[in-house]
């Protein structure tokens, strides 16, 4: 009996032909495509086809302020993507991401850990910490615009008129909203951690700090990876904050890539090229996050 159990529990022998891929018959494959057909149709209609048209528009150059367009091939892609406008907007977008993502991620995680307790009235604090999600980006931007107004604001500073602080002024609403988003997502991840694991670590002599870094954070690492990717994408897509608080100024010091695309909305060719460039940059950054951080993510079935 012991030999049988040992054989059942023994790991599979390495080498050989490896794992065999499961074979599916034609009926199963057809059924899978049938279920996927609505999603494929929606993506093809509202993403793939418009994106192909966007790629094509990037090969047309505006003539006489958009009165007509002429085909220039890939020359416009090379000119725009290597020009100062694109690189400057991309750099401002990167700074915006650096300002907003770490603050929202760290503070939201800390608040989620602090409020993940069985205490009377803790739901009130959880509702308060997650309340930033109740307002839109435009509403949050207007609130901070008046908070930092040099004439009537609570904090009478003129950051929006300072080239060195204009991006920080526009980033504050995103920090505030990212905090609530991170809090909600991390709190949901913490509630999925089995109590038995935490209790076992406590019995083994793990203190709160050691338990946090050795048990809790590794178990919710997939949640943190997902949250990081989402926040970075949101950061690259920032527009309303810039438009309401700084309007890209002063002297273009807070013009992110999306804001520059908006300014070129009458020039379909250049705005299409910048949009494709933003898509590629966002895709590459997202893939790099998965490649670099995936090794540090712990999944429950491993």
């Amino acid at each position: 009996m012991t030999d049988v159990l040992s054989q059942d529990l023994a790991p599979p022998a390495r080498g050989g032909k490896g794992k065999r891929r499961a074979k599916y018959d034609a009926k199963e494959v057809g059924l899978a495509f049938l279920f996927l057909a609505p999603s494929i149709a929606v993506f093809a209609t509202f993403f793939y086809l418009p994106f192909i048209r966007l790629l094509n528009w990037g090969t047309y150059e505006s003539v006489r302020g958009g009165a007509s367009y002429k085909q220039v091939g890939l020359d416009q892609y090379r000119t725009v993507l290597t020009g100062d406008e694109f690189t400057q907007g991309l750099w401002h977008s990167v700074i915006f991401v650096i300002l907003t993502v770490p603050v929202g991620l760290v503070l939201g995680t800390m608040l989620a850990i602090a409020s993940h307790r069985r205490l009377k009235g803790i739901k009130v604090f959880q509702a308060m910490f997650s309340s930033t999600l109740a307002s839109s980006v435009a509403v949050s931007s207007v609130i901070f615009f008046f908070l930092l107004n040099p004439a009537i604001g609570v904090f009478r500073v003129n950051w929006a008129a300072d080239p060195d602080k204009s991006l920080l002024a526009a980033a504050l609403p995103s920090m505030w909203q990212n905090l609530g988003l991170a809090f909600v997502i991390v709190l949901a991840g913490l509630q999925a951690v089995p109590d038995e694991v935490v209790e076992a670590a406590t019995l083994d002599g793990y203190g709160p700090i050691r338990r946090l870094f050795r048990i809790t954070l590794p178990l919710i690492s997939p949640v943190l990876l997902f949250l990081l990717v989402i926040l970075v994408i949101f950061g690259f897509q920032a527009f309303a904050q810039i438009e309401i608080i700084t309007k890209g100024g002063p002297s273009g010091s807070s013009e992110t890539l999306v804001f520059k695309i908006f300014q070129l909305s009458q020039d379909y060719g250049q705005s299409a090229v910048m949009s494709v460039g933003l898509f590629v940059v966002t895709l590459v950054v997202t893939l790099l996050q998965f490649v670099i951080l995936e090794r540090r993510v712990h999944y429950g079935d491993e």
Side-chain angles (χ1 to χ4, degrees):
M1 185 67 176
T2 306
D3 295 337
V4 175
L5 290 174
S6 62
Q7 292 176 2
D8 292 338
L9 297 175
R14 296 186 177 182
K17 296 182 179 180
K19 295 182 178 180
R20 295 182 179 179
R21 293 184 177 180
K23 294 182 178 180
Y24 302 99
D25 56 28
K27 183 179 179 180
E28 291 175 323
V29 174
L31 188 62
F33 276 108
L34 180 63
F35 285 124
L36 290 173
S39 298
I40 294 175
V42 171
F43 273 96
T45 303
F46 296 101
F47 178 77
Y48 298 123
L49 293 179
F51 186 72
I52 292 174
R53 293 191 62 184
L54 187 70
L55 291 173
N56 183 49
W57 263 113
T59 62
Y60 286 88
E61 184 180 20
S62 173
V63 179
R64 296 190 303 273
S68 61
Y69 290 86
K70 66 177 181 178
Q71 180 88 31
V72 294
L74 297 178
D75 291 340
Q76 185 162 232
Y77 277 93
R78 288 191 291 267
T79 302
V80 174
L81 295 181
T82 58
D84 292 338
E85 287 293 315
F86 180 81
T87 54
Q88 184 186 53
L90 179 60
W91 175 243
H92 290 163
S93 296
V94 171
I95 295 176
F96 191 90
V97 169
I98 294 174
L99 289 173
T100 57
V101 173
V103 173
L105 181 63
V106 173
L107 292 182
T109 302
M110 292 175 62
L111 288 176
I113 293 172
S115 62
H116 182 55
R117 303 174 184 274
R118 291 188 178 92
L119 297 175
K120 186 177 181 180
I122 195 65
K123 296 295 183 181
V124 176
F125 291 95
Q126 292 177 355
M128 291 172 57
F129 296 151
S130 61
S131 61
T132 62
L133 291 176
S135 60
S136 64
V137 177
V139 173
S140 303
S141 301
V142 170
I143 291 174
F144 276 90
F145 176 78
F146 283 102
L147 283 175
L148 303 178
N149 193 287
I152 60 174
V154 178
F155 307 99
R156 297 188 179 183
V157 293
N158 201 15
W159 289 357
D162 188 343
D164 297 327
K165 297 179 180 178
S166 56
L167 268 177
L168 176 60
L172 288 176
S174 291
M175 295 180 190
W176 187 56
Q177 286 199 305
N178 288 352
L179 187 150
L181 178 62
F183 172 81
V184 171
I185 294 178
V186 174
L187 183 62
L190 291 173
Q191 292 174 347
V193 175
D195 294 335
E196 296 80 4
V197 177
V198 179
E199 292 173 359
T202 304
L203 293 175
D204 287 341
Y206 281 46
I209 303 298
R210 190 182 180 192
R211 193 164 61 241
L212 172 65
F213 287 99
R214 297 294 297 275
I215 304 296
T216 304
L217 292 182
L219 288 178
I220 64 170
S221 54
V223 175
L224 296 177
L225 175 60
F226 165 79
L227 182 60
L228 177 63
V229 171
I230 293 299
L231 293 181
V232 170
I233 293 175
F234 285 170
F236 276 113
Q237 295 177 347
F239 169 74
Q241 306 92 320
I242 311 297
E243 172 67 16
I244 293 174
I245 296 179
T246 66
K247 298 191 180 299
S251 303
S253 60
S254 60
E255 290 182 353
T256 58
L257 198 51
V258 176
F259 190 86
K260 287 184 176 292
I261 294 172
F262 169 75
Q263 288 183 315
L264 292 171
S265 58
Q266 299 300 322
D267 188 335
Y268 298 142
Q270 289 192 40
S271 60
V273 173
M274 284 196 175
S275 300
V276 173
L278 176 61
F279 170 78
V280 173
V281 169
T282 306
L283 179 62
V284 170
V285 171
T286 302
L287 292 177
L288 285 176
Q289 290 179 87
F290 277 110
V291 171
I292 297 174
L293 301 177
E294 185 74 14
R295 302 174 184 176
R296 299 180 177 271
V297 174
H298 170 80
Y299 294 97
D301 56 349
E302 294 182 349

